Amino acid sequence: MDGNASTESPGPAAPDRRPGRRGLDWNRATRFMAAEREDYVQRNPASAVLARQAAEHLLFGVPLHWMNDWGTPFALHVEHATGVDVVDVDSHTLVDFCLGDTGAMFGHAPPPVAAAVQHQAARGYTTMLATQDAAEVGRLLAGRFGLPYWQFALSATDANRYIVRWIRAATGRKKILVFNGCYHGTIEDVFVDLVEGQPVQRDSLLGQVHNLLEHTVVVEFNDLPALEAALANGDVACVLAEPVMTNIGMVLPEPGFWRAAQALIHRHGSLLVMDETHCISTGPGGHARAHGIDADAVVMGKPVAGGLPSAVYGMSAALADRAVQAKRQAPPGHSGIGTTLTGNMLAMAAMRAALSEVMTEAAYAHMLALAERLADGIRAVIARHQLPWCVTQVGARVEFQFCAEPPKNGTEADRVMDPELEHLIHLGLLNRGVLITPFHNMMLVSPVTTPEHVAQLLGSLDEVLAAIVARA
């Protein structure tokens, strides 16, 4: 997830410069936001106290500075979370459609994972040695994703970093290619954007001293001519991509894009890495396998161990052979891949339980059907208020965007983002007992989400929009 939005109240920006605000009364919206902020303060005195205490020793007053990007006057503090219920320290129960921005996509503390962790906790956490669970996890991953060889990491960021290193070593090529507006965690190589068609290292990247433009190529998603031109030099080791862009607002591949793209990638001797960390919402084997995308490598983190810090990356047999050869030919010493806690016993036990008992076909059947109901319901709410917004669904993942037609690339998606309007909606929903992802308008449906939860979200959204639309 990425958090760059301001937490200030909406200002008087001209609606005609922001297409998503057409149909809204921004004066009403500003008053609504002020009232919602005051309501939040009054409702959450215990969180306010803890926020002041945390500010004494935590940088920015939170464990991770992104936690300030919810748009609340101060950080909400959680007492516990189970299923889709998040209970804060002021005893409010919130229905969670954010679900840890996918980390808890299958619900908070799913019972099989909780039982596996509890059992393993009494038997050791980490030894830097192999376990029976690890072998079983490898078998489960191979069957699920269709790739025979796997390794582990503590986050999808690390998994992306490691697979890029393996592929650079295996191919002898230094460059990678990403799509404008992509998100692959905080692997430094990907923080390159297109600004007016020119590659630019992202200004917000803190502490970066190396020039990323030397080894990172960026093109627009869905732009096959640009992709072919970028690959033509024969120096791109791999294309690192989500099958569907998810973090700048969802951007779907156009029909036939991936079929043509993977042909271009392989024709020019590059490899394709599919980051399924968010798109695992599509089905048990991810979006790529469900749509016939033939990836050389797959990365996934967040929900794979039920929300415990863990990630995986898999390789084709051909890539694995080249990776093993590169390692054997390298001088002795640290490869730069892996950390001491990688593949620890606790994570392996949790992952085995998640893959075998939580991320099941039955769970997805429930999630996908209910997500479709949610998407249709949001479309109906938007239509009722005559707003020029669209709704996109990727399996159990649903998002509404402030444009009439879904964007086709990162530039279009970025152009319609409106952090002030997002914060207004998100805070209004939170005060009505509903959480959605703070950085954009994304919602997830879990195996324990119910039609009643969906109805609560739709009713709350309807109430928020009714408070800010222009009156006839």
Side-chain angles (χ1 to χ4, degrees):
M1 59 189 184
D2 190 10
N4 298 311
S6 167
T7 58
E8 296 178 358
S9 298
D16 61 343
R17 294 176 58 188
R18 307 203 183 188
R21 296 188 184 183
R22 287 197 299 268
L24 302 181
D25 182 330
W26 203 244
N27 289 326
R28 291 187 72 205
T30 302
R31 293 192 299 271
F32 176 81
M33 185 61 160
E36 292 298 309
R37 289 174 66 85
E38 178 60 27
D39 186 36
Y40 178 90
V41 171
Q42 296 299 320
R43 285 167 49 85
N44 295 286
S47 274
V49 170
L50 290 174
R52 288 194 295 270
Q53 292 175 355
E56 296 178 7
H57 299 291
L58 298 183
L59 194 65
F60 300 103
V62 284
L64 174 66
H65 67 88
W66 289 355
M67 292 180 183
N68 280 327
D69 291 342
W70 284 87
T72 54
F74 46 81
L76 186 74
H77 284 66
V78 174
E79 175 65 30
H80 66 270
T82 307
V84 293
D85 290 338
V86 171
V87 180
D88 66 30
V89 293
D90 288 285
S91 300
H92 304 121
T93 298
L94 308 169
V95 178
D96 192 0
F97 284 89
C98 170
L99 294 171
D101 195 25
T102 310
M105 188 174 81
F106 298 93
H108 297 286
V113 175
V117 169
Q118 185 177 20
H119 175 72
Q120 184 60 49
R123 295 156 52 88
Y125 301 162
T126 185
T127 60
M128 211 169 69
L129 294 168
T131 64
Q132 183 178 355
D133 283 338
E136 178 62 10
V137 167
R139 186 188 71 81
L140 291 169
L141 290 168
R144 182 177 290 256
F145 291 99
L147 294 174
Y149 294 103
W150 292 83
Q151 288 278 269
F152 303 101
L154 290 179
S155 70
T157 289
D158 278 343
N160 279 314
R161 182 177 290 118
Y162 299 159
I163 193 63
V164 166
R165 293 185 73 97
W166 280 118
I167 290 175
R168 282 172 167 159
T171 63
R173 296 181 177 187
K174 297 181 178 179
K175 292 186 177 181
I176 69 167
L177 185 148
V178 297
F179 292 106
N180 184 39
C182 70
Y183 182 69
H184 301 288
T186 55
I187 172 175
E188 292 83 355
D189 306 66
V190 306
F191 285 90
V192 177
D193 300 320
L194 283 177
V195 178
E196 296 182 356
Q198 297 301 312
V200 175
Q201 186 167 302
R202 192 172 299 177
D203 290 338
S204 62
L205 187 59
L206 294 174
Q208 180 63 33
V209 296
H210 304 294
N211 181 8
L212 299 178
L213 301 181
E214 293 180 4
H215 298 121
T216 301
V217 180
V218 58
V219 301
E220 293 286 11
F221 196 62
N222 283 319
D223 189 340
L224 288 170
L227 176 63
E228 182 167 27
L231 294 170
N233 290 331
D235 56 358
V236 172
C238 67
V239 173
L240 173 60
E242 293 181 290
V244 176
M245 295 185 72
T246 63
N247 203 66
I248 198 165
M250 289 201 290
V251 181
L252 296 171
E254 294 184 340
F257 170 73
W258 276 120
R259 182 175 62 254
Q262 61 189 344
L264 289 173
I265 291 165
H266 293 144
R267 183 187 309 158
H268 292 286
S270 300
L271 300 178
L272 175 60
V273 181
M274 289 272 93
D275 185 345
E276 291 276 10
T277 300
H278 286 170
C279 296
I280 192 65
S281 62
T282 301
H287 191 92
R289 196 166 198 199
H291 290 83
I293 302 171
D294 185 19
D296 300 286
V298 164
V299 169
M300 189 176 65
K302 291 190 178 179
V304 70
L308 270 69
S310 193
V312 300
Y313 59 101
M315 308 178 191
S316 67
L319 173 55
D321 286 344
R322 297 169 74 180
V324 169
Q325 183 178 8
K327 173 58 180 169
R328 287 175 174 167
Q329 292 176 346
H334 201 303
S335 65
I337 297 171
T339 58
T340 302
L341 294 178
T342 298
N344 66 80
M345 294 188 293
L346 201 63
M348 293 299 98
M351 199 179 301
R352 180 175 183 174
L355 290 168
S356 60
E357 300 181 66
V358 178
M359 301 170 65
T360 64
E361 293 280 0
Y364 274 100
H366 173 86
M367 294 159 66
L368 270 56
L370 196 54
E372 186 170 351
R373 180 187 296 194
L374 173 61
D376 288 341
I378 294 175
R379 291 187 185 99
V381 171
I382 290 170
R384 182 157 56 251
H385 293 288
Q386 300 181 337
L387 294 171
W389 302 350
C390 65
V391 178
T392 305
Q393 179 185 355
V394 178
R397 181 180 296 268
V398 177
E399 182 157 19
F400 61 91
Q401 291 165 280
F402 302 135
C403 49
E405 297 294 331
K408 296 180 180 179
N409 57 47
T411 294
E412 290 184 9
D414 181 64
R415 190 179 297 134
V416 301
M417 294 189 83
D418 188 338
E420 292 174 323
L421 181 54
E422 289 174 7
H423 279 175
L424 182 155
I425 294 171
H426 300 167
L427 183 57
L429 292 176
L430 189 154
N431 282 342
R432 288 157 180 80
V434 176
L435 289 175
I436 70 171
T437 304
F439 315 118
H440 39 99
N441 301 312
M442 191 278 293
M443 294 145 282
L444 285 164
V445 171
S446 83
V448 289
T449 307
T450 67
E452 290 74 24
H453 294 138
V454 168
Q456 182 177 346
L457 189 158
L458 295 174
S460 298
L461 180 62
D462 189 44
E463 186 176 332
V464 169
L465 295 184
I468 64 175
V469 295
R471 291 171 175 167

